[in-house]
């Protein structure tokens, strides 16, 4: 679940004016998780954060693990959500180990799709520069220096951006407002314990008999929320008095029999350790083994990674249920089904126990092997009716896939597995708008020399593919030439075919149409000889159709793509279909059938946008602009061209710098200028450039009814872009 509950403002009417209406039809953008249980107390802290965010652009909540930093900042962000017309965005950084992935993690949380070869930080700066949004950074302390540098640049270059951070250390930047988070007050701690206890035991009530022990328990646990929740989880088997007695015995042991207070960090570790001791041996074993996961995980993965002779796979569900009941593991619903996770402090405790058993390396390899298998299965299933499910699954597993590659790179003898994994995930990098991160991993894994030809060759042709789409011909031809030469030397016909294919694709986007036609035809012949049929093969057919159409034979181009369309329908493939539909629309427009071209482009654009494929999206928008001017609406066509102008920098060189790809654009511009004149055309173009990708796609799909399309209302002072303001005025007109 990604939408939060809508609590009332902590500051009433005293806060900043709300920027967005909060309506069921048009919720504010963002990715805050839903609250799965009630938020208790912290009213003064919430009010203080609200005031600080009015006065400072960087507010950091610091405190020990388990004190409730994450819950506080996400609650505060939800309360203040209406202030930020461009949304509130949570970036969870605890699972990001590689500092080189910091920008990718932030971009992913923001929903930013950038497919260029430029540094991801540049894309982030450009995305945030004109937006009024709140960025919530959680769990950054292991990347504090890198995070501070990124936040400094974002705040300097994006004047409407505000950052709310939570970590064990401050970022130590100028203008930072730091809020050390104390433990809960006695009354709030008691309320929290009582609510969580009732969640475990519905009949639980604070009575005259139980109130005293409960209050003493909260005091002994120093009002630390995580410790209180773990203690409440024991009430399935123990009374409040028994929980207090057993925990008090632990404290006395640690303080030499006296009642001297432990420091709060030790109190939390003691509470976690006591919960650990009260777990059964299988539960303790599973707790330790679960620490190898990054972020969320599912039952199937747990059964494979964590099972063994001493923990049979068919017992894992019951053991996991026990950890859920004790709040050691949390359950979360997601678009891909039921998922589980552990809080960072609990995970760290489990990791220490796993290391102590000497079994950590074996478990990390089992984790790696599971996600190697998952990636292999997803690659095969990409060419199926489950393509959209695969896209959602790999997105949700990205933290674990990253960890699997990191694990493989730690040993030179296993680096080929990282190469295999980075290559196998081509559909994530190319098909789901993750080109920038894919380039990061492919460059990284290919730095390792390995004797495993197949893994290295696959990573090479995938790198070439990524570089072609990013508009980096030098890197593309280098990788593809190396791949083809080594593949032919090793007798790897499949890798050679893919290298020839992507070299033909490079010729296509650099206007060498005859060479593109020859290379793509050669690649398809190689694929047929191998019996290869998948999304890449279909894309080779589409690219051959593009080259054929650009050379003037639109009839043949359409025939090729009709064949691709039939194969896609037989196999449930959608991603390659979107490009086939683009070529069919191009052919329809050449034949003077704009109404058919629009229908085809609407479907193509919808598919590309669903998969976050910016290249397919912007190509469809460009061609829809030509359809629109052909239909007689020059102003709308110019606006769509402006919208495409804004998208291209996140894709690469506009229209690849290609005269053939640019021909529809030039025709549209000529017709629109003739109808509108230079001043009006420039104004409409500028209005389109103010539209974000989602608004641009919605506008393009609205077609001739674009002016009637409803957009979320924004209150005055919310910083409406010129394009959005124009749409709002059109709507009122």
């Amino acid at each position: 679940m990604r939408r939060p509950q809508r609590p009332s403002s902590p500051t009433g009417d005293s806060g900043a004016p709300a920027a967005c209406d909060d309506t069921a039809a048009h919720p504010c953008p963002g990715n805050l998780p839903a609250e799965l249980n009630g938020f208790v107390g912290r009213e003064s802290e919430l009010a203080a954060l609200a005031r600080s965010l009015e006065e400072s652009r960087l507010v950091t909540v610091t405190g020990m693990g388990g004190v409730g930093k994450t819950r506080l900042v996400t609650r505060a962000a939800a309360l203040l959500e209406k202030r930020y017309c461009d949304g509130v965005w949570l970036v969870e950084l605890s699972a990001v180990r590689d500092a080189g992935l910091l920008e990718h993690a932030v971009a992913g949380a923001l929903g930013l799709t950038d497919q260029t070869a430029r540094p991801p930080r540049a894309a982030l700066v450009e995305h945030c520069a004109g937006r009024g949004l709140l960025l919530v950074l959680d769990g950054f302390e292991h990347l504090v220096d890198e995070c501070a540098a990124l936040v400094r640049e974002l705040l300097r270059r994006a004047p409407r951006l505000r950052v709310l951070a939570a970590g064990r250390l401050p970022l130590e930047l100028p203008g930072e407002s730091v809020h050390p988070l104390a433990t809960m007050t006695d009354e709030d701690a008691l309320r929290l314990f009582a609510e969580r206890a009732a969640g475990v035991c519905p009949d639980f009530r604070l009575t005259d008999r139980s109130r005293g022990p409960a209050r003493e328990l909260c005091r002994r646990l120093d009002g630390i929320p995580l410790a209180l929740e773990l203690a409440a989880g024991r009430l399935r088997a123990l009374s409040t008095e028994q929980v207090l007695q057993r925990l008090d015995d632990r404290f006395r042991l640690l303080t030499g029999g006296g009642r001297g207070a432990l420091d709060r960090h030790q109190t939390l570790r003691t509470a976690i350790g006591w919960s650990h001791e009260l777990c059964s041996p299988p539960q303790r074993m599973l707790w330790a083994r679960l620490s190898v996961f990054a972020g969320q995980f599912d039952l199937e993965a747990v059964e494979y990674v964590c099972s063994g002779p001493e923990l049979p796979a068919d017992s894992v569900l019951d053991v996991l249920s026990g950890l859920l009941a004790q709040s050691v593991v949390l359950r979360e619903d997601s678009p891909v089904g039921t998922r589980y996770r552990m809080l960072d402090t609990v995970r760290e405790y489990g990791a220490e126990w796993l290391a102590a058993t000497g079994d950590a390396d074996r478990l990390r390899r089992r984790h790696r092997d599971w996600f190697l298998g998952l990636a292999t299965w997803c690659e095969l299933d990409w060419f199926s009716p489950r393509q959209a499910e695969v896209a959602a699954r790999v997105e949700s597993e990205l933290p674990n896939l990253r960890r699997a590659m990191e694990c493989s790179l730690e040993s030179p003898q296993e680096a080929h597995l990282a190469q295999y994994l980075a290559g196998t995930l081509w559909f994530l990098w190319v098909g789901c708008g993750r080109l920038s991160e894919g380039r990061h991993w492919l460059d990284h894994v290919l730095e390792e020399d390995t004797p495993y030809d197949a893994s290295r060759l696959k990573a090479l042709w995938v790198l070439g593919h990524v570089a072609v789409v990013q508009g980096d011909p030098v890197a593309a031809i280098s990788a593809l030439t190396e791949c083809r030469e080594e593949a032919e030397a090793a007798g790897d016909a499949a890798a050679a075919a893919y290298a020839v294919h992507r070299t033909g694709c490079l010729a296509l986007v650099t206007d060498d149409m005859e060479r593109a036609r020859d290379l793509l035809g050669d690649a398809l012949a190689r694929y047929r000889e191998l019996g290869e049929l998948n999304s890449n093969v279909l894309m080779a057919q589409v690219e051959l159709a593009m080259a054929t159409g650009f050379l003037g034979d639109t009839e043949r181009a359409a025939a090729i793509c009709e064949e691709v369309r039939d194969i896609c329908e037989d196999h449930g493939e959608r991603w390659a279909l979107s490009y086939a539909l683009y070529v069919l629309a191009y052919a329809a427009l050449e034949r003077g059938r704009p109404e058919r071209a629009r229908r085809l482009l609407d479907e193509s654009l919808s598919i590309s946008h669903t998969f976050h494929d910016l290249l397919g999206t912007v190509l469809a928008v460009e061609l829809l602009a030509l359809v629109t001017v052909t239909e007689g609406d020059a102003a709308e066509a110019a606006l769509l061209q402006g919208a495409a102008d804004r998208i291209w920098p996140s894709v690469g060189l506009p229209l690849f710098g290609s005269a053939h790809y640019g021909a529809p654009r030039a025709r549209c511009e000529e017709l629109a200028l003739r109808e509108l004149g230079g001043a009006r055309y420039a104004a409409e173009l500028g209005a389109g450039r103010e539209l974000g990708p989602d608004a641009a796609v919605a506008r393009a799909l609205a077609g001739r009814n674009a002016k009637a399309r409803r957009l979320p209302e924004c209150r005055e002072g919310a910083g409406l872009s010129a394009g959005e303001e124009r749409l709002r005025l059109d709507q009122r007109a």
Side-chain angles (χ1 to χ4, degrees):
M1 292 186 291
R2 303 306 302 168
R3 298 305 308 153
Q5 296 173 356
R6 302 291 186 227
S8 58
S9 169
T11 57
D13 295 331
S14 64
C20 292
D21 281 340
D22 182 22
T23 65
H26 302 301
C28 293
N31 69 338
L32 291 179
E35 294 181 315
L36 300 180
N37 50 29
F39 186 88
V40 176
R42 303 289 200 188
E43 287 85 0
S44 61
E45 290 92 336
L46 289 169
L49 289 180
R51 289 192 298 270
S52 290
L53 280 167
E54 290 181 2
E55 300 165 359
S56 175
R57 296 178 57 217
L58 172 60
V59 178
T60 304
V61 176
T62 62
M64 59 174 285
V67 79
K69 301 183 296 296
T70 297
R71 192 65 189 273
L72 179 68
V73 296
T74 53
R75 177 68 167 188
L79 292 169
L80 302 172
E81 190 173 29
K82 294 182 186 179
R83 293 186 184 181
Y84 304 95
C85 199
D86 291 306
V88 175
W89 304 90
L90 172 65
V91 187
E92 297 173 308
L93 295 172
S94 60
V96 179
R97 293 183 173 182
D98 182 354
L101 294 175
L102 172 62
E103 287 91 349
H104 294 289
V106 177
L110 284 168
L112 170 59
T113 303
D114 184 77
Q115 302 186 352
T116 66
R118 61 180 170 171
R121 181 170 298 189
L124 276 174
V125 168
E126 179 183 286
H127 178 81
C128 294
R131 287 177 167 82
L133 58 84
L134 177 64
L135 191 62
V136 183
L137 302 176
D138 183 39
F140 61 82
E141 52 272 351
H142 58 300
L143 301 170
V144 63
D145 292 335
E146 296 82 3
C147 198
L150 175 60
V151 170
R152 180 189 299 110
E153 184 165 0
L154 289 176
L155 290 174
R156 183 172 61 87
R157 304 281 295 277
R160 295 172 57 208
L161 170 71
R162 290 179 186 256
V163 176
L164 177 59
R168 299 182 188 182
L169 301 167
L171 289 167
E172 297 186 352
L173 292 175
E176 180 181 23
S177 176
V178 180
H179 288 249
L181 184 60
T183 55
M184 302 187 85
T185 65
D186 291 346
E187 289 305 313
D188 282 349
L190 184 61
R191 284 173 55 203
L192 177 65
F193 177 77
E195 287 200 14
R196 299 300 185 260
V200 173
C201 300
D203 295 333
F204 178 86
R205 299 288 185 276
L206 284 177
T207 63
D208 291 342
R209 177 179 176 181
S210 65
R211 186 179 300 274
R215 189 181 295 278
E216 177 63 13
L217 177 64
C218 294
R219 189 187 69 80
R220 295 294 285 149
L221 291 174
D222 276 332
I224 301 171
L226 176 56
L228 294 170
E229 298 210 15
L230 291 171
R234 306 309 315 172
L235 294 183
R236 289 182 183 273
L238 302 171
S239 68
T240 307
E241 292 87 345
Q242 289 173 315
V243 171
L244 174 61
Q245 179 60 47
R246 295 186 179 212
L247 186 61
D248 204 37
D249 288 344
R250 273 291 286 183
F251 287 154
R252 293 187 186 195
L253 177 65
L254 290 173
T255 55
R259 295 186 61 86
L262 298 169
D263 68 74
R264 283 172 173 160
H265 178 76
Q266 187 61 34
T267 296
L268 177 61
R269 288 191 57 79
T270 302
I272 296 174
W274 179 70
S275 286
H276 186 264
E277 288 179 7
L278 291 178
C279 288
S280 65
Q283 289 171 345
R284 291 198 292 269
M285 181 179 295
L286 183 58
W287 182 343
R289 292 180 175 182
L290 288 175
S291 67
V292 299
F293 288 98
Q296 295 180 331
F297 47 88
D298 64 14
L299 179 61
E300 282 185 308
V302 175
E303 288 175 333
Y304 176 84
V305 175
C306 301
S307 63
E310 63 284 4
L311 186 63
D314 58 8
S315 71
V316 166
L317 178 58
D318 288 339
V319 179
L320 181 63
S321 298
L323 294 178
L324 283 164
Q326 299 173 61
S327 300
V328 172
V329 174
L330 305 177
R331 170 180 166 163
E332 295 183 344
D333 294 326
S334 78
V336 293
T338 299
R339 311 275 289 168
Y340 307 95
R341 69 179 177 91
M342 301 174 75
L343 295 178
D344 293 340
T345 308
V346 175
R347 186 193 306 274
E348 290 165 8
Y349 193 92
E352 291 175 8
W353 273 87
L354 184 62
T357 66
D359 207 21
D361 288 343
R362 184 182 71 86
L363 264 294
R364 292 184 66 217
R365 286 194 298 272
R366 282 182 68 85
H367 172 275
R368 188 266 319 282
D369 293 346
W370 169 263
F371 286 99
L372 281 172
L374 177 70
T376 302
W377 171 82
C378 284
E379 182 188 30
L380 293 172
D381 232 27
W382 178 258
F383 187 57
S384 80
R386 294 174 294 280
Q387 201 170 51
E389 297 171 30
V390 170
R393 180 69 185 272
V394 293
E395 284 284 350
S396 69
E397 297 290 10
L398 189 52
N400 284 303
L401 292 166
R402 289 168 176 161
R403 185 152 298 180
M405 281 187 277
E406 290 167 350
C407 175
S408 298
L409 287 170
E410 290 173 2
S411 168
Q413 291 75 30
E414 296 184 334
H416 67 284
L417 296 175
Q419 293 174 347
Y420 171 82
L421 185 52
T424 298
L425 291 172
W426 67 265
F427 59 93
L428 173 61
W429 314 138
V430 179
C432 301
R434 291 273 184 182
L435 282 177
S436 182
E437 179 164 352
R439 182 70 179 269
H440 167 88
W441 283 113
L442 290 160
D443 284 337
H444 194 27
V445 301
L446 285 168
E447 291 173 357
E448 303 293 329
D449 290 326
T450 67
Y452 293 85
D453 292 332
S455 298
R456 179 174 179 80
L457 291 174
K458 186 169 188 177
L460 278 169
W461 72 253
V462 174
L463 173 60
H465 186 184
V466 168
V468 168
V469 181
Q470 287 185 316
D472 188 352
V474 174
I477 198 64
S478 175
L480 293 171
T481 300
E482 181 181 352
C483 179
R484 183 173 180 177
E485 291 175 353
E486 292 188 8
E488 290 174 347
D492 190 330
Y498 282 102
V500 171
H501 171 188
R502 291 305 162 192
T503 306
C505 185
L506 178 60
L508 176 69
V509 300
T510 53
D511 277 346
D512 193 348
M513 292 302 152
E514 292 187 358
R515 184 165 186 263
R517 182 184 58 191
D518 293 343
L519 286 168
L520 291 166
D522 182 10
L524 286 166
R526 292 170 184 252
Y527 287 146
R528 282 192 294 271
E529 186 176 346
L530 291 165
E532 196 92 343
L533 181 61
N534 55 37
S535 298
N536 277 301
V537 175
L538 294 182
M539 283 298 295
Q541 289 183 260
V542 172
E543 289 151 2
L544 176 61
M546 288 179 178
T548 302
F550 289 150
L551 287 170
D553 192 350
T554 53
E555 292 290 336
R556 177 60 183 151
I560 294 172
C561 285
E562 287 291 1
E563 180 183 345
V564 172
R565 190 178 189 177
D566 290 341
I567 297 172
C568 287
E569 289 176 356
D570 289 342
H571 291 271
E573 215 284 353
R574 302 287 290 165
W575 174 65
L577 174 63
S578 69
Y579 287 90
L581 293 170
Y582 168 82
V583 178
L584 288 170
Y586 179 90
L589 199 54
E590 288 291 304
R591 297 172 190 165
R593 299 184 60 188
E595 71 289 342
R596 172 172 166 76
R598 180 175 288 283
R599 289 196 301 272
L600 293 164
L601 286 169
D602 282 352
E603 185 178 357
S604 173
L605 179 57
S606 296
I607 296 169
S608 296
H609 190 56
T610 297
F611 283 112
H612 308 292
D613 183 350
L614 278 189
L615 176 58
T617 296
V618 73
L619 287 174
V621 171
E622 289 277 15
L623 200 52
L624 271 168
L626 179 56
V627 170
T628 302
V629 75
T630 303
E631 292 172 335
D633 192 345
E636 187 67 20
L639 185 139
L640 291 178
Q641 285 193 310
D645 287 345
R646 175 161 173 174
I647 297 173
W648 274 115
S650 295
V651 177
L653 184 63
L655 293 160
F656 309 111
S658 161
H660 289 90
Y661 277 99
R665 169 86 182 202
R667 285 170 58 193
C668 180
E669 181 178 347
E670 178 185 356
L671 293 171
L673 274 169
R674 185 186 306 165
E675 177 71 23
L676 300 174
R680 177 82 187 281
Y681 176 77
E684 299 293 345
L685 202 67
R689 287 171 179 155
E690 295 297 321
L691 296 179
D694 290 342
V697 169
R699 184 79 183 212
L701 291 175
R704 288 185 169 183
N705 297 318
K707 290 186 177 182
R709 186 169 66 85
R710 296 278 176 180
L711 287 183
E713 282 287 339
C714 290
R715 299 181 185 177
E716 292 183 5
L720 279 176
S721 69
E724 291 164 338
E725 177 65 19
R726 177 180 182 273
L727 292 177
R728 187 164 68 91
L729 294 174
D730 284 345
Q731 171 188 317
R732 291 180 176 178

